[in-house]
């Protein structure tokens, strides 16, 4: 006849056996290839979608939100919401464009009012060019500064553009080569300004940025000079470039 202690031990052993059996059954369920493969596929798909969203569909509100790894590798696509002067403007980033719902899906509409755009646009500086300076802080405007501003507004305002970004400058603007579609063709905005004589090639001791288009830009400037387009129409001896003007006035940019 078994005593109380022996009976308790038998119950404990049986409970342990059942627990081990259940744990083994649970593990075998997860180790089954029929369960592992779908789980791995689902996890991988979710991770890829998250990476794709963060890389290509996440909206960048301002230039300061662009990481250093983005420059020279990626571009910004969006709508121009304002043009400040002849060589810079503000862009509302719309990643993915119409394919991602911008312009037709609820919640994916570019704001029109200035207060709705505050802290939500990227300030873009056209790479490789320098437009005549507008009147600022008591300084007089340069000749053709209004013409350059008017032309740029007519050319890109409220249009979708793509900006290939190179760096962020000291004013928290991204320096970029910018393209806009005009008719069937995609146009380099800075290059068009040089051809029309509404800007000079950007000249500075350091910090000039052209991407890979410096020779093309300098060629466009030479032809504008030759044909006396825009800023080159006057007396060459009286001409003052935007860089010379800013040096004389002690202004940056």
């Amino acid at each position: 006849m078994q005593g109380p202690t022996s009976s308790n031990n038998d119950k404990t052993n049986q409970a342990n056996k059942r627990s081990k059996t259940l744990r083994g059954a649970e593990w075998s369920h997860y180790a089954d290839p029929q369960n592992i493969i779908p789980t791995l596929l689902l996890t991988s798909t979710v991770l890829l979608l998250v990476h794709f969203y963060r890389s290509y569909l996440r909206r960048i509100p301002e230039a300061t939100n662009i990481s250093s790894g983005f420059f020279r590798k990626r571009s910004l696509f969006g709508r121009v919401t304002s043009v400040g002067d002849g060589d810079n403007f503000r862009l509302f980033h719309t990643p993915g464009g119409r394919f991602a719902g911008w312009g037709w899906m609820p919640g994916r509409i570019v704001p029109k009012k200035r207060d709705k755009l505050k802290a939500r646009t990227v300030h873009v500086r056209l790479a490789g060019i320098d437009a005549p300076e507008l009147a600022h802080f008591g300084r007089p405007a340069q000749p053709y500064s209004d013409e350059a501003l008017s032309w740029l507004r007519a050319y890109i305002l409220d249009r979708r553009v793509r900006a290939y970004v190179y760096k962020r400058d000291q004013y928290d603007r991204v320096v970029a080569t910018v393209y806009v579609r005009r008719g069937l063709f995609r146009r380099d905005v800075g290059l068009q300004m040089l051809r029309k004589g509404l800007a000079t090639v950007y000249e500075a001791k350091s910090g000039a940025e052209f991407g890979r288009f410096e020779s093309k830009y300098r060629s466009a400037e030479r032809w504008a000079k030759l044909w006396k387009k825009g800023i080159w129409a006057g007396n060459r001896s009286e001409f003052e470039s935007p860089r010379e003007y800013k040096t004389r006035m002690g202004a940056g940019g």
Side-chain angles (χ1 to χ4, degrees), residues 44-61 70 74-76 93-97 99-102 105 107-108:
S44 299
T45 301
V46 170
L47 291 174
L48 283 172
L49 288 173
V50 170
H51 175 73
F52 182 81
Y53 172 80
R54 288 180 174 177
S55 299
Y56 299 101
L57 297 179
R58 183 168 58 178
R59 211 184 78 76
I60 297 173
F70 193 96
R74 301 281 304 284
S75 64
L76 294 173
H93 184 216
T94 57
F99 293 108
W102 287 102
M105 277 184 64
R108 294 227 149 191

Side-chain angles (χ1 to χ4, degrees), residues 105-224:
M105 277 184 64
R108 294 227 149 191
I109 305 297
V110 178
K112 295 289 186 182
K113 295 182 178 179
R114 182 176 295 182
D115 61 329
K116 299 293 184 182
L117 290 166
K118 188 176 181 180
R120 299 180 68 190
T121 56
V122 178
H123 199 177
V124 180
R125 172 67 161 84
L126 292 172
I129 72 165
D130 219 357
E133 292 291 305
L134 292 166
H136 286 300
F137 309 112
R139 296 191 294 266
Q142 281 193 280
Y144 283 92
S145 58
D146 288 332
E147 289 86 345
L149 174 61
S150 297
W151 184 91
L152 187 60
R153 278 180 175 161
Y155 204 64
I156 65 172
L157 185 61
D158 290 329
R159 288 182 175 272
R160 292 187 293 271
V161 301
R162 185 170 295 279
Y164 293 87
V165 295
Y166 304 124
K167 65 179 183 180
R168 187 168 49 243
D169 70 9
Q170 68 269 34
Y171 304 106
D172 283 333
R173 305 174 299 190
V174 292
V175 180
T177 298
V178 178
Y179 291 89
V180 63
R181 191 165 292 281
R182 303 288 299 190
L184 298 176
F185 301 98
R186 199 175 73 147
R187 305 291 188 183
D188 178 338
V189 178
L191 182 63
Q192 297 306 311
M193 294 195 73
L194 289 168
R195 286 174 172 170
K196 293 184 177 297
L198 295 174
T200 68
V201 168
Y202 189 87
E203 300 287 0
K205 292 181 180 179
S206 63
E209 185 61 70
F210 296 90
R212 61 181 186 276
F213 306 112
E214 183 173 1
S215 61
K216 183 185 290 188
Y217 279 23
R218 292 194 181 280
S219 176
E221 184 187 68
R222 283 195 297 270
W223 278 104

